Amino acid sequence: MIIDGHTHVYPDAVARKAIAGSPADLKRFGDGTVASLTEVMAASGVDRSVCLGIANTPDRVDNANRFAGSLDPDRFIGFGSVHPGLSPEENVASLRAHGLRGAKVHPMFQQLTLDDPRLLATLDAMSGEFAVIVHVGGAGDDPGDRCSPAMLADLVREFPRLDLIACHFGGYKRFEEAAEVVIGLPVHLDTSWPPSLATLDPGRVREIIGKHGPERICFASDWPMADPAAEIATIRELGFSDDDTDAILGGNLARLLKL
């Protein structure tokens, strides 16, 4: 089973506007709707996709979680949102109410930092029950100082019971920094690197995956900002064993999320 661990879908009525707010320098490989993602999955051989909801204000959390929870569970794995403007109890209650396996945290979009005490309280409440996918590193012209690889490393150490997946190998546009402070820690990393993982040196990517452990790497495209088919091909071309490649492409995430 191939699982794309990082996609973005929105209700049809707001998808166009939501996608328009994504970085202007990235090509779109779909329109952000469920129908578009379904077509892309069929064309690329993806069996299931993790769909990430992100609320930039507290009042939008429950709507984001309701939509994520409404997605077809045979094809999609809905991840909702949490926000430090809500109490830990409110955040967790919303995730439970909509049957979600976890939440996405995006410090830039949500205007928070990874060391925000309010966020830390919610992550503590989620530990042992929910997974958290967190954006780490830059975006656009923002270097990502509010969600640096070092801040991620602090989270990993502070919450050993939290099932944490760090986007972009632990540091988008900060690959070598992440290699120094994140690689080797007990955290899962996703492979998303829009516009493509192929823009990184394949020898260095293979070295980093080998050092971190293929069993803690999860395939992710960041659709619609990247093409899942091309990303799968790039992972296969890294030259890992069939077992390790299958684990990266879906087995590791299936185990982590108890699918």
Side-chain angles (χ1 to χ4, degrees), residues 18 20 153 163 179 189 191 227:
D163 289 328
L189 307 178
T191 66
D227 175 11

Side-chain angles (χ1 to χ4, degrees), residues 101-231:
R101 297 179 181 273
K104 169 73 180 287
V105 172
H106 198 311
M108 294 179 183
F109 183 74
Q110 297 180 290
Q111 294 297 299
L112 58 91
T113 61
L114 283 185
D115 58 1
D116 186 322
R118 301 171 303 164
L119 175 64
L120 299 183
T122 290
L123 296 181
D124 188 34
M126 296 174 70
S127 293
E129 182 176 358
F130 298 99
V132 175
I133 296 177
V134 59
H135 174 90
V136 190
D141 295 328
D142 190 326
D145 291 336
R146 66 176 66 225
C147 47
S148 68
M151 296 170 80
L152 168 69
D154 288 340
L155 283 187
V156 174
R157 297 184 184 103
E158 185 167 356
F159 299 107
R161 294 176 56 247
L162 182 65
D163 289 328
L164 187 63
I165 304 167
C167 302
H168 318 304
F169 285 100
Y172 188 50
K173 300 188 176 183
R174 301 173 75 154
F175 188 74
E176 291 302 328
E177 182 182 349
E180 290 295 322
V181 301
V182 175
I183 298 305
L185 294 178
V187 59
H188 284 73
L189 307 178
D190 90 17
T191 66
S192 60
W193 199 275
S196 176
L197 178 61
T199 62
L200 294 174
D201 174 63
R204 185 63 173 142
V205 172
R206 179 179 170 83
E207 179 184 2
I208 289 301
I209 291 176
K211 183 177 179 181
H212 191 68
E215 73 278 3
R216 291 184 295 189
I217 302 293
C218 302
F219 159 61
S221 70
D222 207 350
W223 183 89
M225 268 64 76
D227 175 11
E231 301 306 279

Side-chain angles (χ1 to χ4, degrees), residues 53 60 84 97:
R60 294 178 179 175

